[in-house]
Amino acid sequence: MEHNAELKEFLRSRRARLNVDDMQIGGTGGVRRVPGLRREEVAQLAGVSVDYYSRLEQGRNINVSDEVLDAVSRALRLDEVERSYLFQIARANPRRARRRTPARVQRVRPGIRRILETLDDVMPAFVFGRRMDILAANRLARALITDFEALPPRDRNMLRYTFLDESARELYRDWEEVARDNVAVLRLDAGRHPDDPLLTELVGELAVKSPQFRRWWADHNVRERSHGSKRYHHPLVGDLTIDYESVSLPGDPDQTLCIYTAEAGSPSETALRLLAAWTGSRTTPAQPAAGGSDAEHLHARHAERLHTEER
């Protein structure tokens, strides 16, 4: 009998997070040794037999219909991303997943690279690949986050940066929220590509090196990154609040273009302009003015540049 371990753990985790007092279920009395709903209660809500749901949650290789998966999704109150993930992992073939094939090398099209370069002095932009690999990043994105191009190819990965680079904890003002979201995005990618050996290697490395990653990975949360905001504390320009929009690229759904913007007229927009002026004008690492900080020197250079443009 083949077993789908991810299906098993995902259903258990979704069942455990539900509060029985919020559900319309009869006969829910008695002491509960574990949180959440019991299997028989999920089966009741989904309109299937307890035996059938139990076999599904055990990850057995049964031929489950779309109607049953929809009913289970409603019973467990899954959102749209979770529902899509459930369908993916329920259709996965455990035997096929064990056959490791070389991962396809992802490449960014020249036209997309030109878009990134066009935005060099305007807004940070980069391209995510599978496993949240950074496939390309423009100059302002590298200045805001880290210089991914200076890293070995294997380390150009947002998860490795977030959990294994100490500077990330200083850069992200809400590091734990960012880190949890990144784990949930990676979990969604794992459901789409269960046979990716590089993803398995990444998860194994992070689980060994980061107790926090190990704990959050076990939560089985999934998230699709589309838009939102992040707060940064940059060593040169200080605090910023940045909005981001993510768009899947036509021709390769596993590549996502991510563009950062700041609200017009806000201190964050000013900070981004300062950072763009610094990265756009320097050919060698900027040196602080005598008796001043990098940020003070940066502000002075930007003011001088604006004065020159006005003249």
Side-chain angles (χ1 to χ4, degrees):
M1 177 71 70
E2 294 291 341
H3 291 268
N4 186 327
E6 179 55 25
L7 177 62
K8 171 183 177 180
E9 295 302 328
F10 180 70
L11 289 175
R12 283 184 175 179
S13 68
R14 300 308 90 177
R15 175 164 59 88
R17 74 178 180 177
L18 294 176
N19 186 344
V20 67
D21 295 331
D22 297 332
M23 314 298 288
Q24 299 297 320
I25 305 175
T28 60
V31 178
R32 292 178 179 265
R33 292 177 293 180
V34 294
L37 299 184
R38 301 183 177 109
R39 284 180 179 174
E40 56 267 29
E41 291 165 344
V42 176
Q44 177 185 338
L45 289 170
V48 299
S49 70
V50 176
D51 177 67
Y52 187 92
Y53 179 76
S54 295
R55 286 187 289 127
L56 178 64
E57 190 177 289
Q58 288 166 3
R60 298 189 188 181
N61 190 19
I62 60 177
N63 186 21
V64 58
S65 68
D66 290 353
E67 290 75 18
V68 169
L69 290 177
D70 272 327
V72 170
S73 297
R74 290 191 297 270
L76 295 175
R77 298 188 175 183
L78 304 186
D79 61 27
E80 189 57 36
V81 175
E82 292 172 325
R83 176 186 174 279
S84 176
Y85 183 72
L86 173 61
F87 272 70
Q88 288 167 356
I89 59 179
R91 299 284 185 254
N93 186 323
R95 180 175 297 169
R96 175 181 175 273
R98 284 200 295 267
R99 290 200 289 263
R100 303 301 184 191
T101 58
R104 178 175 60 87
V105 176
Q106 290 186 285
R107 303 189 187 282
V108 177
R109 297 195 302 270
I112 300 300
R113 290 190 179 275
R114 286 193 290 270
I115 291 175
L116 297 182
E117 293 169 359
T118 301
L119 298 174
D120 264 341
D121 297 322
V122 183
M123 55 191 67
F126 51 90
V127 176
F128 279 124
R130 284 167 57 173
R131 304 170 294 274
M132 294 189 74
D133 286 345
I134 304 297
L135 303 181
N138 71 358
R139 186 173 62 234
L140 194 49
R142 299 195 302 269
L144 176 64
I145 304 174
T146 193
D147 190 354
F148 290 103
E149 291 188 359
L151 300 175
R154 179 180 178 276
D155 294 337
R156 298 172 191 174
N157 177 274
M158 190 57 76
L159 269 297
R160 284 193 173 96
Y161 170 71
T162 303
F163 283 94
L164 305 182
D165 191 323
E166 286 299 321
S167 67
R169 297 174 185 264
E170 300 175 3
L171 178 66
Y172 294 114
R173 293 169 61 189
D174 306 297
W175 178 86
E176 182 171 326
E177 178 183 342
V178 170
R180 282 178 177 269
D181 283 350
N182 287 346
V183 172
V185 171
L186 187 67
R187 172 65 77 175
L188 186 63
D189 194 49
R192 292 169 175 162
H193 305 286
D195 55 348
D196 184 347
L198 293 181
L199 192 148
T200 301
E201 177 187 339
L202 174 64
V203 171
E205 176 188 359
L206 294 173
V208 169
K209 295 181 178 179
S210 172
Q212 289 162 306
F213 174 86
R214 187 165 60 247
R215 182 169 67 252
W216 295 333
W217 184 256
D219 289 339
H220 291 266
N221 292 327
V222 292
R223 183 175 187 270
E224 189 164 43
R225 175 156 293 154
S226 57
H227 64 277
S229 63
K230 292 180 182 177
R231 302 194 306 158
Y232 294 85
H233 179 75
H234 194 275
L236 285 178
V237 297
D239 292 340
L240 307 89
T241 298
I242 302 294
D243 297 323
Y244 66 86
E245 296 287 340
S246 300
V247 182
S248 295
L249 295 178
D252 190 343
D254 289 330
Q255 291 191 28
T256 303
L257 174 64
C258 189
I259 299 177
Y260 285 2
T261 61
E263 184 181 355
S266 67
S268 296
E269 184 189 43
T270 300
L272 267 187
R273 287 182 175 178
L274 288 170
L275 193 58
W278 178 67
T279 58
S281 61
R282 71 188 181 100
T283 55
T284 58
Q287 297 298 321
S293 66
D294 280 353
E296 290 169 347
H297 183 53
L298 179 55
H299 279 271
R301 290 181 62 179
H302 184 58
E304 181 181 353
R305 181 175 177 176
L306 291 178
H307 179 67
T308 301
E309 291 174 352
E310 290 172 356
R311 293 171 58 189

